[in-house]
Amino acid sequence: MKRILTGLKPSGELTLGSLIGGISGSVKYQEMYESYIFVPDMHAITVDQDSKLLKERIRKNVALYIACGLDPKKNVIYIQSENLYHANLSWILECNTYMGEASRMTQYKDKSRHKENVSVGLFTYPILMAADILLYDADLVPTGIDQKQHVELARNLAARFNNKYGDTFKLPEPLIPDVGAKIKDLQDPTKKMSKSSDNYKGTILLLDDEATIRKKIMSAVTDNEGKIYFDEVNKPGISNLLTIYSSLKNISISETENYFKDYNYGNLKREVADLVVNKLSKIQEKYNELINSNEIDDILDKGRIITNEIAKKKYDEVLNKVGLGR
Ligand code: TRP
């Protein structure tokens, strides 16, 4: 069976966009692949974090993954910083990465532009990401399109290492979900709904209460045409609402368009809000059962033990091949 591996950085709260664009995909993949899901907490500190909030969010995210349908029996669930091999392998890979190729990472260029005091970690983080992936011989890495270049870097580094030291790493492939799955900001539907947005009016958090969800959806930006159909260029707001509905209902965009064709915008929003409230209240119920339970710790302990074993084997092989240690 192919092995799939992914992680969601705990640098902000999980959103409806993370559910539809990320976690739901993993819920499907768990039926098809051997699945590894982790919290890349060491990636979060490439930018400034409040330490107390970060720690809380790591646990919250794990509870939310499970509440959203990731089955701990079908996934190995773990926290990156509980496995020291990630950072160790990253160092060895860094020594086999060229400044030129690291400098070409467009996400780094975007994130560092016009900023003072950019950390070295933000620059090298794609290499840590490569270590995250290569330690486990992952075949497939589901991510957003913004991470595709990083998975390609991991692939290049794996190939280079294999060439120099003999076959060691599997070459991973990115798995990018279909276009329909990208949820936009409700206030600016040309931008992605972001977990680190400072404008929470356009972002639905998975833990928002019912009144907040309704308010955010009812005030979503639309257009003046008054007709409901999918057109991302001219009607990004309406198209976004249709995408949310079709993804949560698991029906196609054209079925969704057809269903809403005689609605006005107010009624469309009301029905999208009903659906989102219904979905998220079920997730929140499960989350509330989990968050203070020992179950989370048991799952994470198990994940730590399994992944440390796998990673140690790979890392020892790398050490030997590179000539480190005794
Ligand atoms: N860089 C990813 C993001 O920002 C998170 C991540 C870190 C990741 N390591 C990974 C994703 C390994 C997939 C595989 O979203």
Side-chain angles (χ1 to χ4, degrees), residues 122-242:
L122 188 70
F123 179 68
T124 57
Y125 119 113
I127 307 167
L128 178 59
M129 180 165 165
D132 298 338
I133 298 168
L134 300 181
L135 271 178
Y136 301 98
D137 285 328
D139 296 285
L140 297 168
V141 181
T143 57
I145 189 85
D146 58 324
Q147 296 294 320
K148 187 165 176 250
Q149 198 187 22
H150 296 164
V151 181
E152 281 159 2
L153 175 71
R155 198 182 159 84
N156 292 339
L157 295 182
R160 181 174 308 148
F161 193 97
N162 290 349
N163 249 327
K164 190 163 167 191
Y165 298 106
D167 206 18
T168 311
F169 296 121
K170 190 162 252 178
L171 306 193
E173 272 177 54
L175 186 64
I176 313 291
D178 4 333
V179 271
K182 259 183 259 112
I183 304 305
K184 303 287 168 50
D185 187 287
L186 296 169
Q187 289 299 313
D188 179 357
T190 59
K191 279 190 350 213
K192 163 172 152 183
M193 183 181 280
S194 163
K195 54 182 157 45
S196 12
S197 164
D198 7 276
N199 177 8
Y200 276 135
K201 267 176 75 185
T203 301
I204 294 179
L205 305 181
L206 292 183
L207 296 177
D208 273 347
D209 62 31
E210 170 166 357
T212 309
I213 295 170
R214 289 192 187 279
K215 200 164 138 217
K216 286 177 178 172
I217 295 179
M218 293 316 289
S219 48
V221 168
T222 52
D223 55 68
N224 303 322
E225 193 189 20
K227 281 203 212 115
I228 296 175
Y229 59 95
F230 190 84
D231 177 346
E232 273 185 313
V233 178
N234 299 308
K235 298 171 76 65
I238 291 295
S239 302
N240 191 33
L241 293 170
L242 294 173

Side-chain angles (χ1 to χ4, degrees), residues 2-9 18 20-30 32-38 40 65 70 75 129 133 138-152 172-178:
K2 286 202 169 171
R3 190 176 279 183
I4 199 161
L5 178 147
T6 196
L8 278 175
K9 218 170 19 172
S18 338
I20 295 174
I23 305 170
S24 306
S26 297
V27 172
K28 267 187 242 149
Y29 300 141
Q30 71 187 358
M32 304 147 64
Y33 305 109
E34 189 192 344
S35 304
Y36 287 69
I37 298 269
F38 74 110
Y65 288 171
L70 286 175
N75 293 271
M129 180 165 165
I133 298 168
D139 296 285
L140 297 168
V141 181
T143 57
I145 189 85
D146 58 324
Q147 296 294 320
K148 187 165 176 250
Q149 198 187 22
H150 296 164
V151 181
E152 281 159 2
E173 272 177 54
L175 186 64
I176 313 291
D178 4 333

